[in-house]
Amino acid sequence: MTETTVDNTTERTAVDFWFDPNCPWAWMTSRWVGEVERQRPIDVTWHVMSLFVLNEHQDVPEPYRERLTAGQVYPRIVTAARLRHGDQVVKPLYDALGEHVHHRQESDPEQVVPTVLAELGLDADLVEYAWTDEVDQAVRASHQDGIDRVGQDVGTPVIAVEGTAFFGPVISPAPKGQEALDLWDGVVAVAKYPGFFELKRSRTVGPVFDTTV
């Protein structure tokens, strides 16, 4: 397969993407953005958000709240690595976590976290931050940055294109090739209209984990 190249002489578009590594829908959207990134001159900065923080004051079933609490492990480990190594580590760590959590359906973070750190050659002692609240303030700050741009009645992911933020799109499977670009152009077009707020229909399929980026 011929690799698509991006014309770096074209003016580049700044994109920010907020994700919770636990969310399969954010994972689908991130695979689409990665596909667009290979074909268009966009610069994506990846940020953590947290489904736990998003729902901590909501009336949700207790089993779901317990899953959200346990799920803080992954936003914490990404944040701890970012604080130590910089923004450049966020996307590779997200990719590796998604491969294990979503594609391989591995459910034990005590196995996933050290495995992923080793795969990426990251410091093994970062694992200690996953089960403490030491980086929670930084997780919350990143989460709030995304929410402040788009509003409260949203979930993950959040995308900002040249400063205009929106929730989603929620998609499955992640489109490729020209389909990915067509969807990107449509989403960017509606995001540019200041009076546009919502477009939604019921989900008829679940996340389709057919590729990695």
Side-chain angles (χ1 to χ4, degrees):
M1 184 174 69
T2 302
E3 183 176 353
T4 303
T5 59
V6 174
D7 181 3
N8 289 314
T9 63
T10 304
E11 184 177 353
R12 305 188 67 81
T13 299
V15 178
D16 291 273
F17 190 108
W18 282 264
F19 64 91
D20 184 319
N22 297 282
C23 180
W25 297 103
W27 178 253
M28 290 287 92
T29 309
S30 74
R31 302 308 90 184
W32 161 64
V33 170
E35 176 74 3
V36 174
E37 191 174 22
R38 288 198 295 269
Q39 302 182 69
R40 288 282 177 82
I42 66 173
D43 294 317
V44 186
T45 303
W46 302 84
H47 310 268
V48 161
M49 64 184 301
S50 167
L51 287 170
F52 170 80
V53 175
L54 188 70
N55 289 279
E56 66 180 335
H57 300 304
Q58 303 300 317
D59 183 15
V60 298
E62 192 57 33
Y64 181 56
R65 188 174 301 282
E66 290 174 359
R67 290 199 301 273
L68 294 177
T69 302
Q72 276 289 81
V73 166
Y74 296 132
R76 284 170 173 167
I77 198 65
V78 175
T79 300
R82 177 183 64 81
L83 291 173
R84 183 175 294 184
H85 297 291
D87 288 343
Q88 68 273 9
V89 78
V90 174
K91 179 59 161 48
L93 188 48
Y94 181 31
D95 289 344
L97 286 170
E99 174 63 26
H100 286 269
V101 172
H102 300 304
H103 286 267
R104 302 183 191 179
Q105 294 290 295
E106 297 174 7
S107 58
D108 184 359
E110 292 188 10
Q111 296 293 324
V112 171
V113 172
T115 297
V116 165
L117 293 176
E119 287 175 355
L120 297 180
L122 295 172
D123 310 320
D125 70 308
L126 285 169
V127 73
E128 300 171 7
Y129 294 94
W131 283 274
T132 73
D133 61 1
E134 190 166 343
V135 298
D136 281 9
Q137 184 175 352
V139 171
R140 288 177 179 275
S142 179
H143 174 93
Q144 194 61 46
D145 182 26
I147 293 298
D148 284 346
R149 301 189 193 205
V150 74
Q152 295 296 322
D153 299 324
V154 300
T156 175
V158 169
I159 300 179
V161 180
E162 295 289 0
T164 299
F166 49 88
F167 162 59
V170 176
I171 52 176
S172 181
K176 303 178 183 67
Q178 187 60 45
E179 281 190 336
L181 299 181
D182 291 344
L183 178 60
W184 176 258
D185 291 339
V187 168
V188 170
V190 297
K192 287 181 177 179
Y193 178 61
F196 176 80
F197 299 107
E198 188 171 351
L199 181 68
K200 187 175 183 179
R201 64 175 178 170
S202 297
R203 302 173 193 173
T204 58
V205 297
V208 178
F209 306 118
D210 62 346
T211 187
T212 59
V213 174

